[in-house]
């Protein structure tokens, strides 16, 4: 038995702030990073921001231009797929992952935003879940 564990894909949302990063001014990007969470405020105010601005704008460009053609590529994997996300995350279409697998599909929504993995309780939940899946897989192969 094979399983795949990962975070959700970035299903394109036309009005997402991420897709607009390339056109944003520095102050707008600072505001976005504070709202998005996960980046310490003191890093946003220092030279670190100058180093990451080009990368953030490039990410926005990629998000805006990327278009996944599901009609010709699905399902592309055959293993079971388990998705995890934060309850307050900006990712909305977790069930879109079901389209990419012919295996079983499961979603777990954990408390938190896009950086829900920074919470020890969520990290422990995922570790325990993966351990349980591996133990069941081992038992099934005997």
């Amino acid at each position: 038995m094979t399983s795949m564990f990962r975070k959700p894909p970035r299903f394109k949302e036309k009005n997402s702030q991420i897709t607009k990063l390339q056109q944003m001014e520095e102050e707008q990007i600072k505001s976005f990073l504070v709202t998005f969470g996960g980046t310490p405020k003191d890093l946003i105010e220092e030279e670190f921001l100058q180093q990451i601005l080009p990368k953030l704008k490039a990410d926005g460009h990629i998000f805006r231009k990327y278009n996944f053609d599901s009609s010709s590529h699905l399902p592309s994997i055959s293993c079971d797929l388990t998705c995890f996300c934060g309850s307050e995350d900006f990712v909305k279409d977790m069930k879109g992952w079901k389209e990419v697998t012919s295996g079983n599909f499961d979603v777990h929504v954990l408390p938190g935003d896009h950086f829900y993995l920074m919470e020890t309780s969520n990290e422990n939940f995922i570790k325990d879940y993966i351990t349980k899946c591996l133990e069941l897989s081992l038992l099934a192969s005997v």
Side-chain angles (χ1 to χ4, degrees), residues 6-91:
R6 65 173 287 172
K7 292 180 70 172
R10 307 279 193 237
F11 289 104
K12 189 172 173 181
E13 294 180 32
K14 296 276 187 199
N15 295 321
S16 169
Q17 285 284 79
I18 294 173
T19 63
K20 298 174 184 173
L21 281 173
Q22 196 173 25
Q23 292 88 23
M24 288 183 183
E25 299 296 326
E26 186 174 323
E27 288 302 316
Q28 293 172 305
I29 292 175
K30 284 181 183 180
S31 176
F32 169 75
L33 289 173
V34 169
T35 303
F36 191 71
T39 305
K41 290 180 184 179
D42 55 331
L43 286 181
I44 293 172
E45 299 301 326
E46 296 178 11
E47 68 182 59
F48 176 73
L49 182 64
Q50 295 304 315
Q51 295 173 3
I52 65 167
L53 273 176
K55 293 172 182 74
L56 289 172
K57 289 186 176 207
D59 284 351
H61 177 76
I62 291 168
F63 277 98
R64 194 172 57 260
K65 296 293 181 182
Y66 178 75
N67 189 20
F68 180 71
D69 178 14
S70 62
S71 62
S72 63
H73 295 92
L74 299 177
S76 58
I77 57 175
S78 58
C79 67
D80 293 346
L81 186 60
T82 302
C83 294
F84 301 93
C85 70
S87 58
E88 304 302 317
D89 198 349
F90 67 92
V91 175

Side-chain angles (χ1 to χ4, degrees), residues 1 128-142:
M1 179 167 110
D128 292 344
Y129 184 89
I130 292 172
T131 300
K132 179 183 170 188
C133 288
L134 292 172
E135 288 170 349
L136 291 172
S137 177
L138 182 62
L139 289 173
S141 68
V142 175

Side-chain angles (χ1 to χ4, degrees), residues 96-127:
W97 273 108
K98 175 63 180 143
E99 297 176 23
V100 302
T101 185
S102 59
N104 293 322
F105 173 74
D106 198 15
V107 175
H108 293 275
V109 180
L110 303 173
D113 58 16
H114 186 67
F115 298 95
Y116 67 94
L117 279 176
M118 296 176 88
E119 295 294 326
T120 304
S121 60
N122 291 339
E123 181 182 348
N124 289 336
F125 176 86
I126 293 171
K127 285 179 189 176

